[in-house]
Amino acid sequence: MFTQMETAGIAENHLYHDHATGLRAIIAIHSTRLGPAIGGCRFIPYDHESDAIADAMRLAKGMSYKAALAGLPHGGGKSVIIKPEGAMDRTALMQAFGRFIDTLQGRYITAMDSGTLTSDMDAIATSTPWVTCTTTFGDPGPFTARGVVRGMMAAVEHRLGTQTLAGMHVAIQGLGNVGMAVAQLLHQHGARLTVTDINPALVASAASRFGAATVMPDAIYSVAADIFCPCGLGGVLNPTTIDALNVSVVAGSANNQLTSTAAGEQLHDKGILYAPDYVINAGGLIYVALKHTHTPQEAISAQTDAIQETLSALFTDAETAGQAPFLIADAKAEQVIAKGLATEPTRAFA
C-alpha cells in the first residue's frame, strides 16, 4: 500500500471498520498544503477491497488538482464506503462514517459523490461538522453541469472555431444526476444529443425530454459526433475506447477519465482535444467550498463560469508548448500546491 501511496502522492490513507453497522470505509488525503482536504464520499459496491482503496487514492489526487486550479483554499481528499450486500441501516451506517470523519479533526471534509445523497450528508452531519452537501447546502450537481458546459464552449472555440454549442452533436455517456443536467443545458443551447446509460429509464427520459438519439452503452464510443461527454464513473478512456472515438473533443463530468498518461497522449496524438476532467468538472466543488462561507450565489456562479476562461488558457498554453492539455494542467496544479498556504481547518463547518 505504501508503494501505491507514494506513486499517487497520497499523504494519508485511513481505513475504518464499524462492527455494529458493517461500515467499511476509506479516507484518502492527497494534500492539505492549500487547506483542509475536501472531496466527496463514494458509496458503491466493489469486487475487491483493494479496488476501493485504489479508487479513493486516485480520486483524492484529482481533488487536490481540482481545488488548486479552481482557486480554492483546500487540499484534496476522497472517501469510499464499500456498499454492503443485502439489507442495511443506511442512516446508522452514515452516522458511523461521520464518527470516522470526526477523528480526523477537520483535515478532511466530505461531500456527495457517486451513490450518496443529501440525506446521507444529513445523517453524517449528526456525528461531525466536517460535511457539506447537506439539505441546507443543496445539490452541487447543477453547478458541476454548468461548469462542464462552459468548458465545452472553450473546447469547441479552440478546436472548432465556434463560440456556440448550437448545432453541436454531443454523445453523452451516463445520465445520472450530473449527466442529465448536462443534457438539459445542452438541449437549451440547441445541441443535438446521442445518449446512453445502463438504466433504460434514464435513457428513455432523455429521449423524451430532449429529443435525444439513444444507443447501447458499448456503442457510445463509436458515435460520430463533435463532442464525447463522459458523465459516469472513471477509467473510460483506454486504448480500445480511444481508438473507437470519432469526435473532435472529449469534455465531460466524470472523474479520472484517463486510465493512464499514455491514454491521454493517445487522445492528443489522435487530434482529439481533451478537457482535463478535474478542471472542467470543478463546478460542484466550487459550489460546496464557497457555499459554507455564505458566498453570494452570483459569485459562485461567476467562479463556476470562469472554468471556461481557465480551460481556454490551458488549451492555448498547451498548443504553444506542443503538449497535451492535461500535462500542462497537471504541471500548473503541482506548482500551485507546491507554494502552499498551510491553512488550518476552517471552523465554518462547526
Side-chain angles (χ1 to χ4, degrees):
M1 184 184 295
F2 286 108
T3 300
Q4 288 178 289
M5 290 176 67
E6 184 175 0
T7 300
I10 297 297
E12 305 175 37
N13 227 7
H14 303 269
L15 280 67
Y16 183 78
H17 174 250
D18 181 67
H19 178 75
T21 62
L23 173 71
R24 292 182 297 160
I26 303 104
I27 296 175
I29 295 176
H30 176 262
S31 172
T32 56
R33 287 183 61 82
L34 297 178
I38 189 169
C41 172
R42 183 160 287 190
F43 184 46
I44 60 176
Y46 288 87
D47 292 333
H48 304 286
E49 292 174 358
S50 59
D51 294 337
I53 295 170
D55 207 15
M57 289 194 292
R58 284 195 302 268
L59 293 163
K61 182 177 181 180
M63 293 303 298
S64 274
Y65 285 11
K66 186 182 301 190
L69 292 188
L72 298 172
H74 286 285
K78 208 74 173 182
S79 57
V80 166
I81 298 175
I82 301 174
K83 191 171 186 178
E85 297 181 4
M88 62 176 157
D89 185 335
R90 186 166 179 140
T91 298
L93 195 79
M94 294 299 168
Q95 289 172 336
F97 181 60
R99 293 192 292 272
F100 175 29
I101 293 171
D102 210 53
T103 66
L104 300 182
Q105 300 180 318
R107 293 200 306 282
Y108 168 70
I109 301 159
T110 200
M112 284 174 58
D113 201 287
S114 300
T116 50
L117 309 167
T118 53
S119 57
D120 296 326
M121 300 302 111
D122 289 343
I124 292 168
T126 64
S127 302
T128 184
W130 311 110
V131 56
T132 183
C133 294
T134 61
T135 302
T136 302
F137 281 86
D139 181 6
F143 280 81
T144 304
R146 181 181 182 130
V148 168
V149 172
R150 283 286 183 165
M152 284 184 186
M153 292 177 179
V156 299
E157 181 175 11
H158 187 83
R159 177 49 51 87
L160 302 175
T162 178
Q163 296 183 348
T164 178
L165 293 172
M168 290 287 111
H169 184 188
V170 184
I172 302 177
Q173 179 190 51
L175 293 167
N177 185 38
V178 175
M180 192 67 83
V182 169
Q184 182 174 0
L185 289 174
L186 289 172
H187 177 65
Q188 292 170 356
H189 278 274
R192 181 163 61 94
L193 307 179
T194 297
V195 302
T196 196
D197 194 279
I198 59 173
N199 185 335
L202 294 176
V203 174
S205 176
S208 174
R209 294 170 60 191
F210 314 128
T214 66
V215 295
M216 296 299 292
D218 288 344
I220 195 69
Y221 299 105
S222 57
V223 171
D226 297 299
I227 303 168
F228 173 57
C229 179
C231 293
L233 296 178
V236 298
L237 295 173
N238 58 53
T240 301
T241 58
I242 292 170
D243 187 58
L245 289 177
N246 188 10
V247 295
S248 298
V249 170
V250 172
S253 69
N255 287 311
N256 295 103
Q257 295 168 27
L258 299 172
T259 54
S260 65
T261 298
E265 295 282 15
Q266 183 183 353
L267 278 172
H268 183 64
D269 293 343
K270 193 174 178 178
I272 298 174
L273 181 64
Y274 172 61
D277 48 44
Y278 58 82
V279 182
I280 195 171
N281 69 12
L285 180 63
I286 291 168
Y287 175 82
V288 300
L290 297 182
K291 188 74 173 176
H292 79 272
T293 59
H294 309 293
T295 302
Q297 199 84 347
E298 296 79 9
I300 297 175
S301 296
Q303 191 158 340
T304 302
D305 291 345
I307 289 171
Q308 182 174 356
E309 181 180 347
T310 299
L311 278 171
S312 291
L314 278 174
F315 295 148
T316 299
D317 290 348
E319 188 172 55
T320 300
Q323 290 186 303
F326 80 96
L327 294 175
I328 298 296
D330 286 359
K332 286 182 178 292
E334 288 286 0
Q335 289 171 4
V336 173
I337 293 168
K339 292 179 180 178
L341 296 178
T343 57
E344 293 298 320
T346 173
R347 299 308 304 181
F349 283 87

